[in-house]
Amino acid sequence: MVTSGSPSHLPQLLFHRGTRQPVQHTSVNMSNQKSLKLLANYGVTGFLLSTGLFAMLSPTTFAAGFGMPIQDDTFAAGFVQCMGGRNLTFGIIASIFLQRRDLRAVATMATLLAVDGVVDGLVCLKYANTIAALPHFGAAAIIPFVSAWMSS
């Protein structure tokens, strides 16, 4: 890209090198959109890794966040840790896809998180309350649209 030879008090136009074709600003927007999509893919991966670690390291706090407090050193705490191990595993898989720049695979995993959101919401409705369930249902409703954008 080169700039036109206009005086310094006038706005400078950018042209493709060797042509008089002006550079369109949509290429900058596309670059920003690619960066946002990559950031969303990192967000999904980070979410899976962090929730997995959180559930494994502090199952009682994690369960309380779902509106379902449990006691330490119980079968329920062990079960929450098992679920955390699964999230951690999915996060590791997503990070491998991300490292290979297979963003469609990460977006597919994100889409499947909508199923988790519905299941989590239903469990919260049964064992906790509507207020605890609403964020899960909300996320489940939004995730497929975000995932479709991530993979486009």
Side-chain angles (χ1 to χ4, degrees):
M1 288 186 283
V2 294
T3 58
S4 68
S6 62
S8 62
H9 67 279
L10 295 176
Q12 298 232 341
L13 296 176
L14 295 176
F15 295 97
H16 289 283
R17 189 171 300 279
T19 71
R20 295 299 292 168
Q21 298 275 335
V23 173
Q24 296 189 9
H25 293 287
T26 55
S27 62
V28 173
N29 291 338
M30 292 302 289
S31 176
N32 289 341
Q33 191 171 33
K34 286 180 184 178
S35 296
L36 286 173
K37 287 181 182 183
L38 188 59
L39 181 62
N41 279 274
Y42 275 106
V44 167
T45 303
F47 173 79
L48 289 167
L49 291 169
S50 63
T51 57
L53 281 173
F54 185 28
M56 288 178 64
L57 297 175
S58 185
T60 54
T61 306
F62 190 79
F66 272 69
M68 296 179 275
I70 59 173
Q71 297 298 314
D72 224 357
D73 297 323
T74 61
F75 290 122
F79 187 74
V80 170
Q81 288 177 311
C82 287
M83 298 312 296
R86 284 168 179 74
N87 266 20
L88 185 60
T89 300
F90 292 142
I92 292 168
I93 294 167
S95 65
I96 291 168
F97 288 143
L98 191 54
Q99 188 269 334
R100 294 180 179 185
R101 290 295 191 252
D102 188 350
L103 303 184
R104 287 185 187 262
V106 179
T108 300
M109 292 183 75
T111 302
L112 296 173
L113 288 174
V115 175
D116 282 347
V118 170
V119 171
D120 291 349
L122 291 172
V123 170
C124 286
L125 275 177
K126 182 174 181 178
Y127 294 104
N129 56 48
T130 304
I131 292 172
L134 285 178
H136 301 283
F137 289 133
I142 294 168
I143 286 171
F145 298 105
V146 174
S147 298
W149 171 77
M150 285 169 55
S151 67
S152 65

